Amino acid sequence: MFDSIPGYEGIAVGGGGAYLPPPMSSVPMPVPEQAASHPEWHNNIPSISEGRARAAFADYVSSKCCYSSAPVRDGVITNMESFNTYRYRLETFTEYRSTECCQEPYTGQHVDAGIQRAPGPWEIAAQPPSCFTEHKETIRVPYTSSIKKCNPCSGLGRNPCSSCTGTGSKVCSGCNGSGQCPDNESCNKCDNSGREKCSSCSGSGFHKCDTCDGKGQILTFINLKVKWSTERDDFIAQDSSGLRPEKLGKVSGKELFSNAQITVYPVLGFPDVSVAQASERLIRDHQVKYTKNSCILQQRQTIELITITRVNYTWKEKPYVYYVYGNELKVNADDYPATCCCSVM
């Protein structure tokens, strides 16, 4: 339908929706600068006190309806070990654009197709939200609106009734079309004609066309759909604490490094080599993955130090372990010794 509009060829009403590749940038990529010294990268591992570890453990147990507080009250802490791990996070703020062909009943709206060239999908101005904020916007593409005859009703504004096939009447349900009732008397329901008025169309034989709302014409146009999205990937360095890495996904840590610009560059000089390698890999992956069908507006990379304290304790002369981790002092105690089974009725 829009083959005559450059940049929108081959799109029919109801079609479209695929994300469109942005034009190649003519601005040269900036050259990375030598990384500055970051003495905070070498800070000692923060530790928590025994009192804070006990308090966090007590809060954790009180949140569990099936856990007895006896191990918290009577357990004896025998050793506390501090560990740390790093989380590298890369966020890429992207803009996606797609086109969608639309139609609506024509009721006198402005028609502008052919007045001048329609702007291409990436030529239309769209104000993005603040960086790393999710948002969607729909913009009608200028100079694409035109009037077409409604195909479903051939421009008549009405369609034959499917119940009576356009006749306005149906076989009488009282006499089954014979004009007489079982007692050989005339059928009052159809006045002895054998047919009754169609209740679906009130005897007119037609229904108003839903596509054009009875107008006989439709307005077709192209909508530009813009989506701003933040693509995120995390890398958590291995540690020797024994806490499962997936537990760290819902906690925050101490921010050691943050850098945001249109295109970030791999972290240089970080003491944990695996973090530096993850930085290089993820930045490369984001460039390959998100420049195909979106425009990268901003990138941000951060490194957090996440503290982990492994608490060894005894209860009833048996050893157990729990972990306190993250700024939120979340607790994990997979081997908690005093639980009971509950049934939810």
Side-chain angles (χ1 to χ4, degrees), residues 19-25 29 92-96 122 231 262-263 283-297 299:
Y19 292 125
L20 305 171
M24 295 294 292
S25 175
M29 298 295 290
T92 298
F93 185 54
T94 56
E95 179 177 312
Y96 295 88
W122 286 95
E231 313 296 346
I262 295 177
T263 301
I283 290 173
R284 181 178 62 251
D285 290 349
H286 277 219
Q287 284 292 329
V288 171
K289 188 174 182 179
Y290 299 119
T291 55
K292 291 180 179 178
N293 58 3
S294 70
C295 180
I296 295 178
L297 303 182
Q299 287 188 309

Side-chain angles (χ1 to χ4, degrees), residues 101-118:
C101 301
C102 305
Q103 63 182 30
E104 60 187 34
Y106 177 66
T107 57
Q109 301 96 314
H110 178 63
V111 177
D112 58 8
I115 295 177
Q116 65 181 67
R117 185 186 73 87

Side-chain angles (χ1 to χ4, degrees), residues 85-335:
T85 189
Y86 300 105
R87 175 167 57 212
Y88 172 83
R89 173 170 290 166
L90 176 64
E91 298 169 284
T92 298
F93 185 54
T94 56
E95 179 177 312
Y96 295 88
R97 295 196 173 197
S98 62
T99 55
E100 182 181 40
C101 301
C102 305
Q103 63 182 30
E104 60 187 34
Y106 177 66
T107 57
Q109 301 96 314
H110 178 63
V111 177
D112 58 8
I115 295 177
Q116 65 181 67
R117 185 186 73 87
W122 286 95
E123 295 175 340
I124 299 171
Q127 181 61 43
S130 57
C131 285
F132 307 105
T133 301
E134 306 283 326
H135 185 61
K136 293 181 180 180
E137 186 174 340
T138 300
I139 304 170
R140 183 172 294 194
V141 179
Y143 311 114
T144 63
S145 298
S146 61
I147 303 173
K148 305 292 181 183
K149 183 177 72 173
C150 180
N151 286 332
C153 67
S154 299
L156 298 176
R158 60 183 188 174
N159 290 309
C161 175
S162 58
S163 296
C164 64
T165 63
T167 63
S169 64
K170 298 190 294 185
V171 173
C172 178
S173 58
C175 64
N176 200 27
S178 67
Q180 291 183 325
C181 294
D183 53 8
N184 293 325
E185 293 185 4
S186 297
C187 179
N188 294 328
K189 192 170 185 179
C190 65
D191 293 330
N192 207 33
S193 68
R195 298 186 68 83
E196 61 180 320
K197 183 171 68 173
C198 177
S199 59
S200 178
C201 64
S202 301
S204 68
F206 296 92
H207 287 290
K208 182 175 69 173
C209 178
D210 292 332
T211 301
C212 65
D213 195 32
K215 308 301 181 184
Q217 293 178 309
I218 57 173
L219 182 77
T220 63
F221 54 92
I222 298 175
N223 271 343
L224 174 68
K225 304 182 77 173
V226 188
K227 183 182 80 168
W228 291 276
S229 180
T230 300
E231 313 296 346
R232 180 183 294 110
D233 276 303
D234 289 350
F235 168 80
I236 296 179
Q238 290 185 344
D239 70 273
S240 56
S241 67
L243 179 67
R244 298 196 304 275
E246 60 268 20
K247 291 291 183 180
L248 303 176
K250 295 183 179 180
V251 298
S252 60
K254 177 185 177 182
E255 187 175 282
L256 302 181
F257 172 74
S258 180
N259 171 237
Q261 50 187 313
I262 295 177
T263 301
V264 296
Y265 290 89
V267 174
L268 301 177
F270 194 75
D272 190 316
V273 176
S274 68
V275 172
Q277 292 173 340
S279 170
E280 182 176 2
R281 173 176 54 82
L282 291 177
I283 290 173
R284 181 178 62 251
D285 290 349
H286 277 219
Q287 284 292 329
V288 171
K289 188 174 182 179
Y290 299 119
T291 55
K292 291 180 179 178
N293 58 3
S294 70
C295 180
I296 295 178
L297 303 182
Q298 187 85 350
Q299 287 188 309
R300 178 171 62 195
Q301 57 181 343
T302 57
I303 300 175
E304 295 172 277
L305 171 67
I306 302 177
T307 60
I308 303 171
T309 301
R310 183 167 64 192
V311 182
N312 300 279
Y313 70 102
T314 59
W315 183 64
K316 292 186 176 181
E317 299 181 352
K318 291 184 179 180
Y320 300 97
V321 174
Y322 68 88
Y323 296 89
V324 184
Y325 55 96
N327 290 342
E328 297 80 3
L329 298 181
K330 289 185 71 71
V331 170
N332 177 247
D334 288 339
D335 64 347

Side-chain angles (χ1 to χ4, degrees), residues 54 57 61 66-78 311-322 335-340:
R54 281 187 177 276
F57 195 30
V61 171
C66 302
Y67 283 24
S68 166
S69 61
V72 178
R73 183 179 63 251
D74 303 327
V76 178
I77 294 178
T78 58
V311 182
N312 300 279
Y313 70 102
T314 59
W315 183 64
K316 292 186 176 181
E317 299 181 352
K318 291 184 179 180
Y320 300 97
V321 174
Y322 68 88
D335 64 347
Y336 192 73
T339 64
C340 64

